[in-house]
Amino acid sequence: MEFNLTAYYKTPIGIAKIVGDKNGLQAITVLDEAIEITEEIPEILKDCTQQLDEYFKGTRTSFDLKLNPQGTDFQQKVWAELLNIPFGKTCTYLEQSKKLGNVKAIRAVASANGKNPLWIVIPCHRIIGSDGSLTGYAGGIWRKKWLLKHENPSTQQSLF
C-alpha cells in the first residue's frame, strides 16, 4: 500500500502544503493559517521544494515534476491546457474554453480551474477575465496578483 507524503514549505506568500508519492505530486495548496514548516523534506518531495525555491527566486520559469493530480477527465483536460500558458503570459477563461474546443463550457472550465490541486505548478493564476480582471483564485486574489507581478515585473525606466 502506497502512502502519501506531506511537507509544509515556506513561500513568500504563505505556507505551501505539498502532497505526493512515488506516482507524482497530487497537491500543492497554500495555507492561510500558521503551521510549522517541515524541517526534513521527504526525499520524494525534495525536487518540488527545490523547483519552487528557484521559481520564487526568479531563476525558474517552468517546472519539470512528475504530476499526479486527482480529478475527472474533464478537469484533467483543463489542467493540461493550463500547462500550455507560458511564464509571464495570461489567458482568459474564454480563450481557454476555445482551446478546449467548446466556447460554451466557460463556466465548467472556470470551475475546473478553481479545483486545480497543484498551485503554481499548474498555473491557474495565469487565467484572467475577458476584461482583464483578476477573477477568482482559490489562494486569494492578492496571491494571484503577487504571482502575476512576480512572473511579469514591470521594469522601471530611468529618467536620467
Side-chain angles (χ1 to χ4, degrees):
M1 185 163 161
E2 186 64 38
F3 292 101
N4 289 333
L5 298 170
T6 301
Y8 295 92
Y9 161 82
K10 186 174 179 8
T11 79
I13 53 177
I15 302 294
K17 178 182 178 182
I18 304 168
V19 179
D21 61 24
K22 68 178 176 66
N23 297 315
L25 291 172
Q26 292 164 355
I28 303 172
T29 52
V30 65
L31 308 174
D32 284 320
E33 67 266 18
I35 193 162
E36 195 171 318
I37 61 169
T38 305
E39 293 297 325
E40 188 64 38
I41 303 292
E43 190 64 37
I44 216 152
L45 302 178
K46 281 185 180 176
D47 202 22
C48 178
T49 59
Q50 173 69 37
Q51 290 188 34
L52 285 170
D53 267 343
E54 294 165 359
Y55 170 85
F56 284 112
K57 287 177 183 168
T59 60
R60 174 172 290 278
T61 59
S62 64
F63 293 92
D64 181 23
L65 297 165
K66 187 175 181 183
L67 306 180
N68 188 21
Q70 304 301 301
T72 66
D73 288 346
F74 179 76
Q75 288 170 337
Q76 297 281 350
K77 286 179 191 168
V78 171
W79 301 335
E81 187 58 44
L82 288 169
L83 293 170
N84 294 324
I85 305 169
F87 181 90
K89 302 291 182 195
T90 58
C91 180
T92 68
Y93 291 102
L94 181 59
E95 290 168 331
Q96 190 184 21
S97 297
K98 286 179 182 174
K99 288 177 184 174
L100 289 163
N102 186 352
V103 72
K104 293 181 178 167
I106 191 167
R107 290 182 193 271
V109 166
S111 176
N113 282 342
K115 292 181 174 75
N116 170 20
L118 288 165
W119 181 62
I120 297 177
V121 174
I122 296 179
C124 60
H125 61 277
R126 296 181 188 152
I127 299 292
I128 59 174
S130 294
D131 62 357
S133 63
L134 301 185
T135 59
Y137 186 64
I141 295 293
W142 74 271
R143 285 190 180 101
K144 182 173 190 163
K145 186 175 183 178
W146 190 99
L147 291 167
L148 291 173
K149 186 171 180 163
H150 173 70
E151 292 185 5
N152 199 357
S154 57
T155 53
Q156 176 68 43
Q157 299 296 319
S158 173
L159 298 175
F160 306 99

